[in-house]
């Protein structure tokens, strides 16, 4: 498992805080229990709606065809599941999986409200130990989820396992700015504006401070690329969006 300098094998990061490994799932769970009701509104406000564009890029990267099976892992409130369901059509299948019951509930309601009943499924699952049979998905996507997972290498191996040969994993995640001149502005926004917005809209300053911190300790573009290769993926590549605020990584299983 990837570990920051000074951490022991039994420790991991929770933003800038070092915590015992087995505490991370509970702490991350508390974040998403707290923000699930206001999650979508906060996403729109924090990103000025740009997260919708990033997700459109993700869908284009997945290159889905009618009839395929997709796993929207850490799918949360389901906006990507809805886009995927339209791509694969009624003969395909989209499974929204998330470890958190509140987020999964919000996702289920949203997907079903769109009338997407046939071909959609909802599973409470930890990305590190996916409860699906080997080689059963054409595509596995995880958007803004990997950062929150305790053992990312284990999760990547688990995703590899459930992909069919020829299928790909697509990861949308906050990453490292490619324009150093923007760093001061980005830091000011992340560490000052985001927590205040979190307090105002979701009555939760701490969760949005965790968001800013967790982005800073997440592996950068090249490190994540290496982790994908380590997990067995081939033809791995990435693309920066919005000057590296986010990156889309893709890797194939052959
Ligand atoms: N994919 C959605 C999106 O792009 O808006 C939701 C992303 S939200 C920031 C992160 C999601 O990851 C939360 O719903 C959280 O419950 C989920 N999550 C965190 N750790 C997880 C894990 N180990 N396995 C599965 N889901 C996890």
């Amino acid at each position: 498992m990837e570990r920051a300098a000074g951490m022991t094998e039994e420790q991991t990061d929770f933003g800038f805080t070092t915590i015992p490994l087995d505490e991370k799932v509970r702490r991350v769970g508390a974040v998403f229990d707290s923000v699930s009701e206001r999650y979508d509104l906060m996403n729109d406000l924090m990103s000025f709606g740009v997260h919708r564009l990033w997700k459109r890029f993700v869908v284009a990267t997945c290159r889905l065809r009618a009839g395929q099976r997709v796993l929207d892992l850490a799918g949360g409130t389901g906006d990507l599941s809805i886009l995927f369901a339209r791509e694969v059509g009624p003969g395909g299948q989209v499974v929204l999986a998330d470890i958190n019951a509140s987020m999964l509930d919000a996702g289920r309601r949203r997907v079903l409200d769109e009338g997407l009943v046939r071909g959609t499924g909802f599973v409470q699952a930890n990305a590190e130990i996916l409860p699906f049979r080997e080689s059963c998905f054409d595509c596995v996507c995880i958007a803004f989820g990997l950062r929150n997972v305790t053992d990312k290498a284990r999760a990547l191996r688990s995703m590899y396992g459930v992909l069919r040969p020829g299928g790909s994993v697509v990861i949308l995640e906050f990453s490292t700015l490619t324009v150093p001149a923007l760093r001061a502005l980005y830091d000011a926004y992340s560490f000052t504006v985001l927590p205040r917005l979190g307090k105002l809209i979701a009555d939760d300053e701490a969760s949005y401070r965790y968001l800013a911190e967790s982005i800073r300790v997440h592996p950068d573009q090249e490190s994540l690329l290496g982790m994908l290769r380590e997990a067995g993926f081939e033809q791995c590549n990435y693309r920066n969006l919005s000057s590296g605020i986010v990156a889309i990584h893709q890797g194939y299983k052959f």
Side-chain angles (χ1 to χ4, degrees):
M1 198 179 85
E2 74 292 342
R3 235 190 341 267
M7 256 182 218
T8 69
E9 262 178 39
E10 284 77 38
Q11 292 177 320
T12 189
D13 59 83
F14 179 75
F16 291 164
T17 314
T18 298
I19 57 169
L21 265 187
D22 55 6
E23 238 191 65
K24 180 144 174 174
V25 164
R26 189 186 58 73
R27 301 271 294 256
V28 169
V31 166
F32 289 103
D33 278 340
S34 162
V35 304
S36 63
E37 287 300 317
R38 291 297 174 103
Y39 178 81
D40 294 315
L41 175 61
M42 276 299 289
N43 270 359
D44 277 334
L45 292 175
M46 285 186 308
S47 72
F48 307 102
V50 176
H51 76 104
R52 292 168 185 258
L53 277 179
W54 294 334
K55 286 170 178 165
R56 297 260 167 205
F57 273 110
V58 165
V59 176
T61 305
C62 293
R63 297 167 70 116
L64 298 169
R65 293 192 305 276
Q68 289 194 316
R69 293 193 80 206
V70 193
L71 176 61
D72 179 13
L73 184 55
T77 55
D79 44 4
L80 269 168
S81 287
I82 292 167
L83 298 176
F84 291 148
R86 291 186 185 133
E87 296 289 299
V88 300
Q93 195 180 18
V94 178
V95 177
L96 193 172
D98 200 288
I99 199 170
N100 185 286
S102 322
M103 292 295 279
L104 190 63
D105 252 20
R108 182 192 287 114
R109 271 184 271 127
R110 189 153 167 217
V111 171
L112 297 181
D113 281 353
E114 289 285 319
L116 297 163
V117 178
R118 230 176 102 196
T120 50
F122 308 89
V123 177
Q124 190 169 5
N126 185 343
E128 292 177 32
I129 23 167
L130 291 172
F132 305 106
R133 64 186 157 73
E134 286 279 295
S135 310
C136 69
F137 289 103
D138 297 287
C139 182
V140 175
C141 174
I142 180 163
F144 303 120
L146 192 62
R147 193 169 25 90
N148 298 294
V149 172
T150 309
D151 191 338
K152 297 172 183 57
R154 188 172 181 220
L156 290 172
R157 290 195 298 275
S158 189
M159 292 178 219
Y160 185 89
V162 300
L163 263 181
R164 68 156 178 82
S168 77
V169 68
V170 174
I171 302 170
L172 172 65
E173 192 50 91
F174 290 105
S175 204
T176 299
L177 276 185
T178 53
V179 183
L182 292 178
R183 205 158 287 153
L185 185 66
Y186 185 53
D187 280 351
Y189 179 73
S190 310
F191 290 105
T192 310
V193 179
L194 285 192
R196 285 188 190 163
L197 204 57
K199 174 138 186 58
L200 195 70
I201 306 295
D203 194 24
D204 184 348
E205 189 174 339
S207 291
Y208 286 90
R209 181 161 302 112
Y210 161 72
L211 167 66
E213 292 182 3
S214 66
I215 292 169
R216 300 311 189 280
V217 297
H218 187 66
D220 65 12
Q221 288 86 335
E222 286 296 321
S223 306
L224 184 53
L225 195 67
M227 289 171 70
L228 274 175
R229 292 185 179 128
E230 278 278 300
F233 291 101
E234 295 179 52
Q235 292 187 12
C236 303
N237 61 83
Y238 68 85
R239 168 179 191 182
N240 289 312
L241 300 179
S242 307
S243 305
I245 289 177
V246 301
I248 299 177
H249 284 71
Q250 186 170 32
Y252 291 84
K253 174 174 174 179
F254 291 117

